[in-house]
Amino acid sequence: MEISSKLLGGLEPDFEKRGFRLNKKKREFIRDVNGCTQIVDLFFFKKGNSIVIKPEIRIKVERIESIYKSITKIKDRPYLTLGNHLFDILRYMEKGMEKGLRNIPLSDWLVKDERDINKLIEVIPEYFEETIIPYFDSNSSISRVDELLNKYPRELSVHNYLYPLRSNIAIIAAKLNDNPEYEKLVEIYEEELEEAEETYKEDFYKLKENLKNVCENN
């Protein structure tokens, strides 16, 4: 049996208990909660005679991402409200590390044989209950996106490592959350985007104009 099918099938009962459904094609588990989509991705890569599995978790906030998608020219751009490698999020949950570059490389899971698959079927549900679910439950809202992404506006954020995409997501969240520091944040991100790819800057300026007419209750 294919490694991905066996692993995902073995994990499915634990995820289903928490309301997650398995998308076999994308090899991910998904749950929809209050306008947010919570995703656990397992990326499988071939490495010699082994398989490497990279675990990532993501939160997609529909209202934030729909505003971004309405102005961007690049329709196939990857959208990420919050998310990162599982072990980056684990370090944040355990040690509060949420800004700047990581100091050490992250470890992915290596699968060589049936025993490794069975071990992951035991281990991943522990991460699921102790790290993933608490992160999802605490941060699946516009207000939390605003707090997390705008806490250190000049630093890389563990909550969205795709810079400068993060700056565009961050100002949308700040505006929707009626953040009193909104204008100051826009100025900071505009300064930080000076050397960014032109399309990201174009998106930012469009958002800046469009968000003038957006309020939390409209």
Side-chain angles (χ1 to χ4, degrees):
M1 182 183 290
E2 185 186 358
I3 288 175
S4 62
S5 297
K6 184 171 180 60
L7 178 60
L8 294 170
L11 295 173
E12 191 169 7
D14 289 286
F15 279 77
E16 283 186 337
K17 290 176 186 177
R18 288 289 199 162
F20 285 80
R21 65 187 185 278
L22 171 62
N23 184 325
K24 291 182 180 179
K25 185 176 181 180
K26 293 186 176 181
R27 297 170 178 174
E28 63 186 17
F29 292 94
I30 305 171
R31 180 173 74 172
D32 296 313
V33 178
N34 298 325
C36 300
T37 302
Q38 302 166 342
I39 304 169
V40 179
D41 279 309
L42 296 175
F43 296 101
F44 292 76
F45 305 95
K46 181 85 171 166
K47 185 176 182 181
N49 295 322
S50 304
I51 297 293
V52 175
I53 303 172
K54 178 183 178 182
E56 291 194 355
I57 68 175
R58 294 184 286 143
I59 298 173
K60 297 172 68 65
V61 179
E62 182 180 348
R63 190 158 182 226
I64 291 174
E65 295 188 17
S66 65
I67 290 174
Y68 195 173
K69 289 177 184 179
S70 72
I71 63 92
T72 186
K73 290 182 179 178
I74 304 176
K75 299 305 177 185
D76 61 347
R77 172 166 286 163
Y79 294 92
L80 173 71
T81 303
L82 298 178
N84 207 331
H85 193 292
L86 171 60
F87 295 134
D88 268 326
I89 299 300
L90 177 64
R91 283 209 294 267
Y92 160 71
M93 298 288 282
E94 291 183 343
K95 301 178 181 179
M97 299 172 65
E98 58 181 319
K99 64 176 182 176
L101 295 168
R102 67 171 67 107
N103 295 319
I104 57 175
L106 295 175
S107 298
D108 297 321
W109 291 312
L110 187 66
V111 176
K112 295 182 178 179
D113 52 36
E114 190 88 4
R115 288 175 298 177
D116 293 332
I117 297 174
N118 292 332
K119 183 63 177 177
L120 285 177
I121 291 173
E122 293 179 13
V123 169
I124 292 176
E126 296 177 6
Y127 286 108
F128 182 60
E129 291 295 333
E130 296 172 9
T131 302
I132 298 172
I133 288 294
Y135 186 81
F136 282 161
D137 287 349
S138 297
N139 301 312
S140 294
S141 66
I142 290 171
S143 61
R144 283 296 289 163
V145 175
D146 177 24
E147 290 176 43
L148 295 176
L149 295 189
N150 291 313
K151 186 174 182 180
Y152 303 106
R154 295 191 187 276
E155 300 277 356
L156 292 176
S157 173
V158 70
H159 305 288
N160 187 324
Y161 58 91
L162 297 176
Y163 205 90
L165 170 67
R166 169 271 189 99
S167 61
N168 292 329
I169 295 293
I171 65 164
I172 296 171
K175 183 65 174 179
L176 294 178
N177 195 43
D178 199 23
N179 188 323
E181 299 293 314
Y182 174 75
E183 297 297 340
K184 181 179 179 181
L185 287 167
V186 168
E187 290 180 9
I188 290 172
Y189 287 123
E190 196 163 352
E191 292 172 4
E192 294 295 313
L193 284 169
E194 285 182 2
E195 303 300 322
E197 177 189 329
E198 197 61 34
T199 54
Y200 281 106
K201 290 196 282 188
E202 289 175 6
D203 284 354
F204 185 86
Y205 296 137
K206 283 183 184 177
L207 282 171
K208 182 179 173 181
E209 288 303 310
N210 288 16
L211 289 173
K212 289 178 180 178
N213 299 318
V214 172
C215 66
E216 187 174 5
N217 296 319
N218 70 355

